[in-house]
Amino acid sequence: MNLWADALDESVGFTVRDSGGKPAEVAWGTARAEVTESLAGRIRSLTYGLEAPASVTIGLFLLGSMRVERDLQYARRDTLPLDAAAFPQHELTELIDRIGRLPPTERARHLAVLGAKTVDGLRARLRPEVAMDRGDTTWAVRVEEPSFDGKHHLRLEISGDSRETAPALTGSVVTIRRPAGGPVRISVRVTTDAPALVPLSRTEIFNDEFRRFYETVRSDTGHAERFRRLEREVRGMELLCSGEKLMAGLPNFATYFGRDMFMTALLMQPVWAPEMPEHVIASALAKLAPDGDVSHEEALGGQAIRENAAEYNRLMAAGKLMQARTVLARLDATRENYIMIDDDFQLPVVVARYLSDQRVPADRKRRFLGEEHRLARLVANLDYVARLAAPYAHDPGATKLVSFPRAPDGRGWISASWRDSHAGYGGGRFAMDVNVLWVPHALESIGTILDALSQLGLKPAIPKGPLATFAKDRAALARAVATWKGAERHFQVTLAGGAVAERVSKRVNWLPQPERDYWEGVRGGARAQGAGKDTLRFLALSLDAAGRPIPIVNTDPAMALLLDPLGRDRTLELVRPIMRPYPIGLFVDGLGPVASNDAYAGPDVWQTFRRDPYHSPTVVWGRDVNVLLAGLALQIAALPSGADPAPLADALQRTVTAVDRSGLRHAELWSYRIDNGRLVPTRYGTSSDVQLWSLTDLAVQYLLNRQTP
């Protein structure tokens, strides 16, 4: 799979199998990859070599969107016969069928919009065109496919030496043999005419303090592996950062994710150049909904076409012909997903930190906000936040908190914060991270932003409503902040030692035998040290529809450590449940803190997490590890003179040791299996190493280095 991390999130994929039909052992060729541009940069190509130990067969070509490639892999269609249709997109086939049923004159209009003459010509765009050229010394197989709307083109060229290899093309399947035996060497060239993004270099991304740290690590030749890891992560950050946006990760998420950018901006603040948040803020404001809602994720290129085609089909089914034709004319228009709610409150926090940064000149801030209608859009977001926070500020009952949206079937709630799997919040309606952390900090940030705008001499128009009230009456804002800071009480869970032991015992006994035996042994060791006798206090992951806590221990309280100096006792209060050994708390030696512990919830929650383990008690998230480590480092640094940092330093060191021993600290997330009575750390299936959250380890390394005497 070849990813173009460009403005259309393109990819070119194919499958290579050996003569026995199994995945071929393909390796990189010895020649360096080459990048070329032509026609004033409009055509870009990447060429590289591949080598297989013997004859191979190539097929299942898929040219278009990385999102479609991702769905192909999720559906395991890469295991299909090589001549199969790689990933039929039903939205597009339905669109073609609908156009085909139109009266001739109207049909011609719709085809003309897509630059097609016939329905059959349009249908031909759904599969790549494969052809072979043979020369005296070389051969080449060309695989070409236009985008469905005909505006852009992708081409794959596989070539080789005719004196060494003998190719054959049967339909859309290429077989390459080496008659004399030995390895098969081919050249691969991928070409696109889609627009590129503007990359950011490390000198633009990182501040002087980090660069000095980087040079110190590089000069330490006695620990070369440490520098290799650091350099790899710096390159990863360069790959993901462009002037237009920060991408969530490669290869699966080479698109804008609002929340991922905001959390990265908060974590990377100690090492980022002061201007870097501008790229995050500008991208989010450009994608803001008219009402101020922040976009969670964008659909680009082929994925946008796919989603817009579905909209066209809905409009046609409703008999709205003219509206459908309008959608058809902009079939590649970027689509935004506004379903998440945590990102709406994170944007003001990031903006407030940027506007408060004395390293950024006032003139630059004024210029930045004055471009692209950013100030008006920022006000729209602040107004949106104030309106969502108003019900609880006026009547602080649990059911007045900010709620998740209802699921489409009306039976539950969408997990519309970072734990965005079906099981993520244990079926809860009100998320702790949103209501205890982000809403009160967003309200505080409103005051910071209003003050900063006044100091910059900017007087934006503020619509009537809660935001206008806060702007005129700062005491009202202070009361709202104080009320929201009290929201924590709804999520507090206290379990006596006996109740803890009883619930953990039931949960462990519910597990399959190998896991049960292992965790029973861990419990026995914990009991011997008295760990299971203490009262357990923690903040529930979420509340149910009636406002009752769903008692799931979780890592989310660690986010608070990033946002304010809390003092030693408050920090320990939030961190202690995370550091207690699993299955009582979250901490697993040799692995790290698991994302959640559902032992204190009911069997229905256990079953839900078992079916959907993405944010379950079997998974550690690199994001959570980085949040915890960076937060502890910041809290230690902020302790007043004379305060004992030992308990916080111990939690920090235990975490570093555990995740290092897992061997997977570089990953986005990881899990484990129980093998012959041992816990063996394992990669999680969909994890990516080049992932924005994971790469915040750069800030962790920097902060930990400052801790070292």
Side-chain angles (χ1 to χ4, degrees), residues 461-515:
I462 298 177
K464 292 182 179 179
L467 181 62
T469 299
F470 294 157
K472 294 176 182 177
D473 183 359
R474 301 306 289 275
L477 176 57
R479 288 192 297 271
V481 170
T483 299
W484 268 99
K485 285 188 174 182
E488 181 178 316
R489 72 181 189 277
H490 305 297
F491 297 84
Q492 290 172 342
V493 176
T494 301
L495 296 172
V500 169
E502 179 183 358
R503 297 194 193 190
V504 170
S505 178
K506 288 180 179 179
R507 175 64 167 82
V508 169
N509 288 333
W510 173 81
L511 292 169
Q513 189 69 46
E515 294 178 61

Side-chain angles (χ1 to χ4, degrees), residues 202 208-221 227 230-231:
R202 60 186 66 191
D208 293 341
E209 291 83 359
F210 178 81
R211 288 198 289 271
R212 283 193 288 270
F213 163 67
Y214 174 93
E215 292 300 331
T216 299
V217 176
R218 181 161 67 172
S219 64
D220 183 6
T221 56
F227 176 69
L230 185 70
E231 171 63 15

Side-chain angles (χ1 to χ4, degrees), residues 266-383:
L266 293 172
L267 277 160
M268 295 291 282
Q269 188 173 6
V271 300
W272 262 5
E275 302 80 14
M276 267 299 290
E278 293 178 354
H279 299 289
V280 171
I281 297 165
S283 183
L285 292 178
K287 294 173 173 294
L288 206 68
D291 65 356
D293 196 350
V294 170
S295 171
H296 163 59
E297 181 182 6
E298 62 188 0
L300 302 171
Q303 180 64 17
I305 288 173
R306 193 176 169 189
E307 294 184 15
N308 284 315
E311 178 66 15
Y312 171 90
N313 295 333
R314 285 191 291 270
L315 292 169
M316 290 290 284
K320 299 178 179 180
L321 189 64
M322 292 184 64
Q323 291 174 259
R325 199 190 307 148
T326 300
V327 170
L328 199 65
R330 300 180 66 250
L331 205 59
D332 63 342
T334 301
R335 293 177 64 92
E336 306 292 346
N337 178 340
Y338 294 104
I339 193 66
M340 296 294 163
I341 60 175
D342 54 342
D343 49 16
D344 304 322
F345 301 97
Q346 291 167 343
L347 174 57
V349 177
V350 172
V351 172
R353 292 195 172 205
Y354 165 73
L355 293 178
S356 301
D357 192 336
Q358 298 302 311
R359 297 171 299 172
V360 182
D363 286 345
R364 183 180 181 113
K365 294 173 185 174
R366 275 191 290 268
R367 184 170 63 253
F368 173 73
L369 291 174
E371 297 170 347
E372 306 293 335
H373 306 288
R374 288 180 189 137
L375 182 55
R377 294 183 180 193
L378 173 60
V379 170
N381 172 254
L382 301 183
D383 181 60

Side-chain angles (χ1 to χ4, degrees), residues 341-342 345 388-389 392 397-404 417 425 429-443 480-481 483-491 539-543 556:
I341 60 175
D342 54 342
F345 301 97
L388 288 178
Y392 185 83
T399 57
K400 296 297 180 67
L401 293 166
V402 174
S403 169
F404 284 151
S417 189
Y425 286 85
R429 177 182 179 185
F430 305 98
M432 187 278 294
D433 64 320
V434 172
N435 288 285
V436 173
L437 299 173
W438 298 120
V439 177
H441 279 91
L443 289 174
V481 170
T483 299
W484 268 99
K485 285 188 174 182
E488 181 178 316
R489 72 181 189 277
H490 305 297
F491 297 84
L539 296 178
L541 182 62
S542 62
L543 308 180
D556 290 356

